[in-house]
């Protein structure tokens, strides 16, 4: 892997909490997203960085498995600020396809085409998010994609923003339908850039309120299962004029993707 000089890691250590399959929802999305698959398949150097994987390398190992379905020669690099976590992770390495190194938002001097940064920015102030995004994107290969988000401890509720050098592109909400009481429960796991914006007058609050209303109105569909109810709620949301993106297969799994303009902070 190429280095761009000796760079000091940038960032603050995370709690390190992780569990197997915690990031399965975003992994599954990455492996099926037309944008991501096109990016990986066209890359001359298909390097992916998993930033802040935590106390265990398990979610980085899982990411590599998912992405190999898209491109078998993908290379995944797990980065952590904590040297002890890096040392512990190296037993799971498979050079050059899966490696672990100390690094932060500067991406350890590498030029990946894709960065997954999950549960990393929750501890930062909202006004620090844009700077972290900018540093990561400036370190990536041209045309690279940053996927930055948050999830609960076992991956039932998950959200992420896709970001390019031109700015945020979309927001995805992903929920385990079997456990869902109301869609706005996912608000507690919104990305840092939005989590404090779930208040009246902000677009993300309006979206979640509308989704809750559609979910409530779709209650008769629960006879056919939570998935049928969710799909009816999304159909009603579209009818109201909300720009619902993504393929039907993703919606069936509990995903809702909207363009960033639909939730951009006021």
């Amino acid at each position: 892997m190429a280095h761009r000089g000796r760079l000091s890691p940038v960032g603050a250590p995370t709690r390190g909490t992780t569990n197997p399959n915690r990031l399965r929802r975003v992994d599954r999305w990455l492996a099926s997203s037309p944008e991501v698959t096109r990016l990986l398949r066209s890359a001359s150097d298909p390097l992916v960085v998993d930033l802040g994987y935590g106390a265990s390398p398990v979610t980085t190992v899982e990411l590599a498995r998912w992405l190999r379905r898209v491109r078998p020669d993908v290379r995944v690099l797990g980065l952590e600020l904590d040297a002890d976590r890096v040392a512990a992770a190296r037993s799971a390495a498979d050079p050059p396809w899966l490696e672990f190194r100390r690094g932060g938002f500067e991406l350890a001097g590498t030029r990946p085409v894709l960065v997954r940064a999950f549960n990393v920015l929750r501890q930062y102030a909202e006004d620090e998010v844009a700077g972290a995004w900018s540093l990561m994107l400036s370190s990536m290969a041209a045309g690279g994609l940053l996927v930055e988000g948050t999830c609960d401890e076992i991956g039932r509720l998950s959200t992420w923003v896709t970001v390019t050098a031109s700015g945020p592109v979309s927001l995805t909400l992903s929920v385990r339908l079997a456990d869902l009481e109301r869609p706005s429960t996912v608000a507690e796991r919104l990305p840092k850039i939005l989590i404090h914006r779930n208040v009246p007058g902000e677009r993300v609050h309006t979206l979640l309120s509308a989704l809750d209303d559609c979910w409530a109105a779709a209650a008769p569909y629960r006879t056919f299962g939570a998935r049928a109810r969710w799909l009816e709620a999304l159909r009603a949301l579209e009818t109201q004029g909300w720009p619902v993106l993504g393929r039907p297969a993703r919606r069936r799994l509990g995903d809702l993707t909207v363009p960033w303009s639909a939730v951009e902070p006021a």
Side-chain angles (χ1 to χ4, degrees):
M1 296 181 184
H3 294 264
R4 292 179 293 131
R6 290 185 173 273
L7 300 178
S8 297
V10 177
T14 64
R15 290 170 54 203
T17 306
T18 190
N19 285 297
N21 288 320
R22 186 185 186 189
L23 302 184
R24 184 178 181 181
R25 306 198 73 84
V26 66
D27 286 349
R28 191 168 54 186
W29 181 87
L30 287 168
S32 65
S33 164
E35 183 178 9
V36 173
T37 55
R38 184 167 53 249
L39 181 66
L40 288 177
R41 288 170 179 163
S42 64
S44 58
D45 181 12
L47 173 63
V48 176
V49 162
D50 185 26
L51 180 63
Y53 55 83
S56 164
V58 61
T59 53
T60 307
V61 173
E62 292 168 348
L63 175 64
R65 289 173 182 164
W66 278 97
L67 295 185
R68 285 188 191 121
R69 301 181 184 189
V70 178
R71 182 161 173 174
D73 64 340
V74 68
R75 295 188 298 121
V76 177
L77 172 64
L79 292 181
E80 257 292 344
L81 291 169
D82 189 299
D84 290 339
R85 293 177 186 173
V86 175
R90 284 182 173 149
S91 63
D94 180 23
W97 314 115
L98 176 61
E99 296 185 90
F100 298 90
R101 190 180 304 165
R102 190 163 179 260
F105 296 133
E106 83 302 331
L107 306 183
T110 63
R111 300 286 286 180
V113 295
L114 176 67
V115 172
R116 184 185 73 176
F118 248 68
N119 302 306
V120 172
L121 288 173
R122 283 184 65 84
Q123 64 187 333
Y124 290 81
E126 183 182 339
D127 60 9
E128 295 178 292
V129 173
W133 283 359
S134 179
L135 181 54
M136 286 186 278
L137 288 161
S138 69
S139 301
M140 295 174 67
L145 183 69
L146 166 65
V147 179
E148 187 266 306
T150 307
C151 67
D152 67 359
E153 284 72 13
I154 57 175
R156 292 173 299 182
L157 301 172
S158 189
T159 71
W160 57 87
V161 180
T162 59
V163 192
T164 68
S166 299
V169 176
S170 65
L171 169 72
T172 297
L173 312 177
S174 185
V175 298
R176 187 173 187 270
L177 295 173
D179 301 325
L180 189 64
E181 294 186 9
R182 65 181 188 280
S184 63
T185 305
V186 80
E188 66 195 44
R189 298 297 171 174
L190 285 170
K192 190 67 177 191
I193 195 71
L194 290 174
I195 196 166
H196 299 303
R197 301 289 181 156
N198 186 33
V199 294
E202 291 283 353
R203 294 182 182 93
V204 70
H205 181 270
T206 304
L207 170 64
L208 291 174
S209 297
L211 186 56
D212 272 355
D213 290 344
C214 292
W215 176 254
Y221 284 78
R222 63 188 172 193
T223 301
F224 307 105
R227 178 177 293 172
R229 184 179 181 182
W230 174 255
L231 292 174
E232 172 59 19
L234 296 193
R235 186 202 64 77
L237 194 69
E238 282 189 288
T239 299
Q240 293 179 13
W242 287 93
V244 178
L245 306 177
R247 297 179 297 168
R250 300 305 318 162
R251 303 180 195 184
R252 290 175 60 82
L253 292 172
D255 290 3
L256 167 61
T257 299
V258 296
W260 180 251
S261 59
V263 294
E264 186 174 9

